Amino acid sequence: MSSNKTDTRTRILDAAWNLLESSGGPAVRMGDIAKAAGISRQAVYLHFPTRADLLTATARHIDDAKGVDDRLAASRAATGGAERLDAFIEAWGNYIPEIHGVARALMAAADSDPAAAEAWADRMAALRQGCEAAVAALKKDGLLAPGLPPRQATDLLWTLLSVRNWEQLVGDAGWPQKRYVAAMKTTARRSLTTLAEPPT
Amino acid sequence: MSSNKTDTRTRILDAAWNLLESSGGPAVRMGDIAKAAGISRQAVYLHFPTRADLLTATARHIDDAKGVDDRLAASRAATGGAERLDAFIEAWGNYIPEIHGVARALMAAADSDPAAAEAWADRMAALRQGCEAAVAALKKDGLLAPGLPPRQATDLLWTLLSVRNWEQLVGDAGWPQKRYVAAMKTTARRSLTTLAEPPT
DNA sequence: CCTTTTACTTGACACTGTGTAAATTGACAG
DNA sequence: CTGTCAATTTACACAGTGTCAAGTAAAAGG
């Protein structure tokens, strides 16, 4: 039956998720995940041909479980450009900690593995699209800072909201998550728009 | 003789520099560097016990050759807070591309090697100090954005000027170096100060 | 009841890259 | 010609990913 197969597959994904969440990225080996899932290391390769495949599948698995699409859809629903920017930053910024374990592993793998690099690039492209849409909404409302082309505004917002920046502020600098989200909202407004402070 | 030894050491550092500058970080192996330096792979280990040691030594080697300290000293010399911020961003921002090869290798190595992680953390701490000083100069002139503690302003500036952000804007987004520096100046002013646009 | 298929296990192995240990070379001193 | 010492090379150990072949247990299906 395929349900049995799916069960094991899911067990692997859950095991990977757990391990990546606790102990960081590249430290988690295929064998660790197998052991946590209660199967042999080789059995993992029956379901996921390479480490990169397993990591990307885990990322999607988390997406499904956490309902990213729904959350981001909510930000798309916002009417005005300002609200939309805030909602997008809120949704994405609060999503980062939930995928951070896999994200770290994927970024590390991307350094040496082209497949992992592409998988990560895809996710970053999706984020960039969200930024592009938010910037377009700002422009439509005439809120975009003068002299700042939408393309560059998108690039800036995309960079501001990168996982690495979250790591640096929340991880290295020790910021609480709430402050991170608030600061990203303020910084985005100040650097991209003609708006005042966001509502607290 | 020690002059001979030093020669070999320097040849290794130059070889590492060259290779890291062209082909990115983790792709450059100890053997590649050895070959480029005209010695055997193992001979490299006589001068640098580990990969992390070689990478950090290469970074310092570049620092010396390019005169980072002098350049950053120039930014410290700026009188007003605004000029100082601009000068600092200018100096650091234009330094990033010159160390980028080693930086990439060091960041990648940091994922799995604690020694490399510490070496990289040291460099980032130095950058953070520069940011701290620039923020202090802003505060002294009363230019710091209201409601923004110096500590947080430092963290934000530090994150804004990270090597990863440079990579993303100049590398992934394809920005020319000049635009990067200009955008960092503008963004820093907008998000941290009460100042208007920087002079073009 | 027997056969085939499915999902997994076991164990060995190839490959890549770092780092270590032992053997070798070569110059120079007595 | 021999001893010594340092620089260097050859050979090896180790970790982790991914491959391969053979075996096993149980469910599916005639």
Side-chain angles (χ1 to χ4, degrees):
Chain A
M1 225 41 147
S2 86
S3 90
N4 207 334
K5 180 178 181 179
T6 305
D7 268 0
T8 302
R9 195 189 139 93
T10 308
R11 245 186 12 253
I12 296 172
L13 291 173
D14 285 334
W17 184 359
N18 276 331
L19 288 179
L20 289 169
E21 204 169 4
S22 44
S23 28
V28 177
R29 293 148 311 195
M30 296 297 272
D32 298 332
I33 296 169
K35 191 153 57 168
I39 58 175
S40 73
R41 185 175 71 90
Q42 276 62 26
V44 175
Y45 285 98
L46 296 175
H47 296 270
F48 307 96
T50 71
R51 181 181 169 82
D53 283 313
L54 172 55
L55 291 177
T56 57
T58 304
R60 266 196 289 273
H61 181 57
I62 300 178
D63 285 353
D64 289 349
K66 294 281 185 178
V68 219
D69 298 335
D70 298 349
R71 296 202 226 174
L72 289 176
S75 86
R76 259 188 300 264
T79 48
E83 294 77 31
R84 178 157 190 173
L85 180 63
D86 281 348
F88 180 68
I89 293 176
E90 180 100 26
W92 169 251
N94 283 322
Y95 189 56
I96 294 179
E98 299 183 336
I99 45 150
H100 181 230
V102 202
R104 240 195 97 188
L106 215 39
M107 289 186 293
D111 277 331
S112 55
D113 181 350
E118 207 203 317
W120 182 247
D122 277 357
R123 304 211 118 222
M124 288 305 96
L127 170 63
R128 202 179 177 288
Q129 270 200 331
C131 294
E132 199 170 9
V135 166
L138 288 173
K139 187 181 167 67
K140 193 183 162 206
D141 287 7
L143 298 171
L144 211 53
L148 185 64
R151 174 75 193 271
Q152 283 179 38
T154 302
D155 289 337
L156 276 176
L157 182 59
W158 179 53
T159 301
L160 182 71
L161 297 180
S162 73
V163 174
R164 303 287 194 184
N165 281 356
W166 179 89
E167 278 182 336
Q168 190 156 336
L169 289 171
V170 176
D172 300 343
W175 285 27
Q177 170 69 13
K178 255 188 143 170
R179 185 196 295 164
Y180 164 80
V181 172
M184 289 304 103
K185 283 183 187 171
T186 309
T187 305
R189 287 206 180 202
R190 282 185 178 153
S191 51
L192 304 179
T193 75
T194 55
L195 287 160
E197 303 300 295
T200 340
Chain B
M1 213 94 95
S2 87
S3 89
N4 207 335
K5 179 178 180 179
T6 305
D7 269 359
T8 303
R9 193 190 142 92
T10 308
R11 254 200 347 268
I12 295 172
L13 290 174
D14 286 334
W17 185 358
N18 276 331
L19 288 179
L20 289 168
E21 206 168 2
S22 44
S23 30
V28 177
R29 291 148 313 192
M30 298 296 272
D32 298 331
I33 296 168
K35 191 154 58 168
I39 59 176
S40 73
R41 185 175 71 89
Q42 276 59 25
V44 175
Y45 285 97
L46 297 174
H47 298 271
F48 307 96
T50 70
R51 179 181 170 83
D53 284 313
L54 172 55
L55 291 177
T56 57
T58 305
R60 267 196 287 273
H61 181 57
I62 300 178
D63 283 353
D64 291 350
K66 294 281 185 176
V68 219
D69 298 334
D70 298 349
R71 295 203 227 173
L72 289 176
S75 85
R76 260 188 300 262
T79 48
E83 295 77 32
R84 180 158 187 171
L85 181 64
D86 280 348
F88 180 68
I89 293 176
E90 180 100 26
W92 169 253
N94 283 321
Y95 187 57
I96 294 179
E98 297 181 338
I99 44 149
H100 180 230
V102 203
R104 240 194 98 189
L106 215 40
M107 290 187 291
D111 276 334
S112 55
D113 180 349
E118 206 202 317
W120 182 247
D122 277 356
R123 307 211 117 222
M124 286 307 94
L127 170 64
R128 202 180 177 287
Q129 271 201 331
C131 293
E132 200 171 7
V135 167
L138 287 174
K139 186 180 166 68
K140 193 182 160 205
D141 287 7
L143 298 172
L144 210 52
L148 186 64
R151 174 76 193 271
Q152 284 178 37
T154 302
D155 289 336
L156 276 175
L157 183 59
W158 179 53
T159 301
L160 182 71
L161 296 180
S162 73
V163 174
R164 302 287 193 183
N165 280 356
W166 180 89
E167 278 181 335
Q168 190 157 335
L169 288 172
V170 176
D172 300 342
W175 285 26
Q177 170 69 14
K178 255 187 144 171
R179 185 196 295 165
Y180 164 80
V181 173
M184 289 304 104
K185 285 184 188 170
T186 310
T187 305
R189 289 205 178 204
R190 284 184 177 154
S191 50
L192 304 179
T193 76
T194 55
L195 286 160
E197 303 301 295
T200 339

